[in-house]
Amino acid sequence: MTKSKSTSPVYNVIGVPIDQINANAYNPNMVAPPEMELLYKSILEDGYTMPIVCYKMNDGRYEIVDGFHRYMVMKTHPDIYEREDGCMPVVVINKDISNRMASTIRHNRARGSHSIELMVNIVRDLVAAGMSDAWILKNIGMDTDELLRLKQISGLQALFADKEFSTAWTIDSTRKYA
């Protein structure tokens, strides 16, 4: 049985000039210098074996959803840039910003570590975009404790706006306080 090329983006890799690609502003993934050097060596020895994942913006430019560090290897290593003729292998997904953020996190969590501060910002942005806790848990792959900790770290009352709280701390208006 032959798989349809429209099923997954990986069947539609395109070469995109690197100067038409931008990093996103919400990727919390960090890679330590030794691992970046290893990534460079991998790309040097094996070539790009995986395309980067992008979203095509209205202006025709591409925004990275996954693959920032592979992109940075080409940006910072002239030998790779020249060998690849300045083009990155790209697959395109067509998702709104909240789902692109979720895709970035899913890709990263499968293999990297995250900056807590940037994760707090992502949770704040998703809540501001109207995404429920259930949506965040399902799409980002967090458990409820992790989401709660990120909300607590943020200190933003708005992140808890849709929650009901116990009345255990109500004031008894009939009691006289000294």
Side-chain angles (χ1 to χ4, degrees):
M1 175 187 209
T2 304
K3 191 158 186 88
S4 166
K5 291 189 186 235
S6 64
T7 305
S8 293
V10 75
Y11 293 106
N12 298 301
V13 179
I14 57 174
V16 175
I18 197 165
D19 62 355
Q20 292 179 16
I21 302 170
N22 295 338
N24 67 48
Y26 51 82
N27 187 355
N29 199 29
M30 304 287 179
V31 175
E35 284 76 19
M36 278 302 293
E37 188 59 31
L38 185 59
L39 180 59
Y40 164 67
K41 178 144 179 73
S42 172
I43 292 170
L44 180 66
E45 297 294 326
D46 303 327
Y48 281 94
T49 59
M50 294 187 304
I52 65 171
V53 180
C54 291
Y55 170 77
K56 190 168 185 180
M57 307 295 284
N58 290 336
D59 65 2
R61 297 185 60 77
Y62 294 81
E63 181 180 78
I64 299 171
V65 174
D66 180 63
F68 172 76
H69 296 97
R70 285 170 272 152
Y71 160 85
M72 286 308 298
V73 166
M74 185 180 290
K75 293 279 283 184
T76 59
H77 291 86
D79 55 339
I80 301 296
Y81 180 91
E82 290 170 20
R83 184 189 70 199
E84 303 293 327
D85 294 324
C87 285
M88 291 291 305
V90 168
V91 295
V92 177
I93 61 171
N94 188 18
K95 295 183 174 189
D96 64 39
I97 185 65
S98 295
N99 282 293
R100 292 195 311 270
M101 286 179 169
S103 291
T104 295
I105 302 307
R106 283 192 300 266
H107 281 91
N108 288 347
R109 289 177 71 96
R111 67 177 180 270
S113 62
H114 287 123
S115 155
I116 296 297
E117 181 181 344
L118 290 173
M119 284 299 295
V120 167
N121 292 341
I122 286 172
V123 167
R124 183 196 63 234
D125 291 349
L126 291 172
V127 169
M131 300 300 124
S132 68
D133 285 1
W135 188 95
I136 294 170
L137 295 174
K138 176 183 175 200
N139 289 283
I140 303 296
M142 292 182 182
D143 62 35
T144 53
D145 289 338
E146 182 179 12
L147 180 58
L148 176 63
R149 282 192 307 274
L150 290 172
K151 284 183 170 186
Q152 288 170 333
I153 290 168
S154 74
L156 293 178
Q157 204 174 22
L159 295 180
F160 294 96
D162 65 339
K163 298 294 172 219
E164 290 200 25
F165 294 94
S166 165
T167 56
W169 290 93
T170 59
I171 297 174
D172 181 352
S173 61
T174 62
R175 185 171 173 191
K176 301 279 188 211
Y177 295 95

